[in-house]
Each structure stands twice: as C-alpha cells, then as structure tokens.
Amino acid sequence: DVKVTQSSRYLVKRTGEKVFLECVQDMDHENMFWYRQDPGLGLRLIYFSYDVKMKEKGDIPEGYSVSREKKERFSLILESASTNQTSMYLCASSSPGTGADTQYFGPGTRLTVL
Amino acid sequence: AQSVAQPEDQVNVAEGNPLTVKCTYSVSGNPYLFWYVQYPNRGLQFLLKYITGDNLVKGSYGFEAEFNKSQTSFHLKKPSALVSDSALYFCAVRDEGTYKYIFGTGTRLKVLA
C-alpha cells in the first residue's frame, strides 16, 4: 500500500513565524502535491512537483514556497505565517503511469496561526 | 479551463436507500475523473476513477459512478446506503494534457439510521 506521511497532525504557530510542513511518500512517485482545504472551498492546489528540484505553482502559491531535494520528500514552507493561512494542509503523491494517475493523500496537517 | 461542480453541499439519505452524489465537470480535452472520500480528521481516500471505456465504473465499498459525456457528469452512486458511508465526498477532474487536478467543493453525505 502507498503510504504518504505528514510530519504533524496539528500545529499551532504565531504570526510571522516561518513554518515547515513535511511530506514523505514511500512509493517512488514522481509527482507530489500540496493542497489546502477550507470549508466550502474544497481543495486548492498550492504547488506541485513532477521531479526532484522541479516545481510548478498551483492556484494559490502566494505566501508559500516548496522544496523537493529528494524524490520521496516534498516540503511546504510558509515564509511568514499569517492568520489567513490557518487551514488543513494535505499532501498527495502520484505516478504518471497510464496517464490517469491516482493521487494518494497523507492524513493532513491542521495548522492554526495565532 | 478545467472546473468541477458539486451542486449539493449536503445529501441526506436513509440507511438502505440508494444514494447519488452529483458532479459535473468542464475540461478542454479528454477528462480523467475521480471520486475521493474523507472521513473526519483524515486525508482523502481514493474511491474510483474513470479513464476511458465503460461508462459505469465500479469502486471501493460498493460505490460506482456513471460517466455521461453529453451531460458532462460523473455522479457517484450506491444501491444501498450504510450509516458508515457518512463522510465528505470530493469529485476531481484532470485534463489529459496537464498535471493539475481540480477538486469540487465537496458534498457531505449523511446516512440516517
């Protein structure tokens, strides 16, 4: 079974702090994704990566950056956390395969910025 | 541009009755369509997907979905609902020419005993 793990289930930070969210997958997947989930808005893509050191902006990249130094690890960085970044953050991975690749999700990190 | 619509925020159904959760989509090319389920405080779990071929797709936990190209819909169905099916359901679409998935806003399913 594919396993995607996220470093924290719950995180509380203060405004202005630098925040790191880590995601690790164990299935050698090429693609990795970071989403945020907010009630009534569904999942919105922040960034994705299709290879080591490669990244593409998603729909809401402002205030975030990412790092992918190793294939299995994809980090989301909040350079200076703000209260409007309080949300559930979900990491996912997938492999291109047949072209209709299934995304596998981690359990999520619920971030609260005070 | 890709888009997905889940027109119902919540669907209530009695246990044992059939259930339908609606999804419509818009893509420029051929769509890859997905359904995911999310239980409280958990990540999303894959239920089923449509790539090509048979319009009726069968997935996990007795769920199925019907792809209708003319109506651009991909509704999720189950013949007999269980209380344990109560969860948040997401439809997603990916255009074959991109890496990006677009998710709907989710439909909360409540199955009443």
Side-chain angles (χ1 to χ4, degrees):
Chain A
D1 277 353
V2 175
K3 193 165 184 184
V4 180
T5 57
Q6 295 183 229
S7 50
S8 305
R9 291 299 303 275
Y10 299 93
L11 210 51
V12 179
K13 295 292 182 180
R14 297 215 173 268
T15 301
E17 281 192 79
K18 191 169 186 175
V19 182
F20 293 86
L21 303 182
E22 302 279 333
C23 175
V24 177
Q25 51 95 2
D26 67 357
M27 283 301 291
D28 202 36
H29 283 171
E30 289 83 357
N31 301 334
M32 295 188 75
F33 306 79
W34 275 107
Y35 295 90
R36 63 177 282 176
Q37 180 182 4
D38 300 288
L41 297 178
L43 274 69
R44 293 179 292 167
L45 180 65
I46 305 171
Y47 268 97
F48 69 99
S49 169
Y50 51 89
D51 202 351
V52 175
K53 297 190 187 293
M54 305 302 290
K55 60 186 179 185
E56 292 280 345
K57 291 180 180 179
D59 297 317
I60 52 164
E62 296 78 19
Y64 303 95
S65 62
V66 290
S67 172
R68 193 163 181 204
E69 296 296 321
K70 293 185 177 181
K71 192 174 186 180
E72 68 270 18
R73 188 180 297 268
F74 192 35
S75 302
L76 179 70
I77 303 152
L78 286 66
E79 297 291 342
S80 177
S82 64
T83 56
N84 62 13
Q85 292 178 310
T86 291
S87 187
M88 170 71 93
Y89 289 87
L90 294 170
C91 175
S93 72
S94 71
S95 184
T98 61
D101 37 315
T102 300
Q103 289 190 312
Y104 295 89
F105 284 83
T109 296
R110 187 166 294 282
L111 173 67
T112 302
V113 183
L114 301 175
Chain B
Q2 305 172 83
S3 67
V4 173
Q6 292 183 244
E8 301 153 319
D9 290 335
Q10 182 161 317
V11 170
N12 295 328
V13 64
E15 187 176 31
N17 282 2
L19 69 87
T20 299
V21 183
K22 295 179 181 177
C23 173
T24 59
Y25 67 91
S26 174
V27 297
S28 54
N30 290 323
Y32 299 136
L33 293 154
F34 303 81
W35 275 102
Y36 288 85
V37 60
Q38 185 180 38
Y39 298 100
N41 298 313
R42 304 285 296 275
L44 275 66
Q45 295 179 32
F46 169 74
L47 276 179
L48 51 79
K49 67 182 176 185
Y50 171 82
I51 307 169
T52 185
D54 195 348
N55 290 343
L56 186 64
V57 179
K58 294 190 183 294
S60 306
Y61 312 122
F63 284 94
E64 58 189 29
E66 186 166 11
F67 172 65
N68 187 317
K69 188 172 183 178
S70 63
Q71 297 186 7
T72 61
S73 67
F74 189 57
H75 301 331
L76 182 70
K77 300 182 179 186
K78 188 173 183 182
S80 179
L82 299 172
V83 172
S84 57
D85 293 329
S86 298
L88 188 57
Y89 290 81
F90 289 96
C91 180
V93 66
R94 182 166 83 80
D95 194 326
E96 65 175 338
T98 76
Y99 287 106
K100 282 182 60 174
Y101 299 72
I102 301 297
F103 284 80
T105 52
T107 298
R108 187 164 301 281
L109 173 67
K110 284 195 174 180
V111 181
L112 308 169

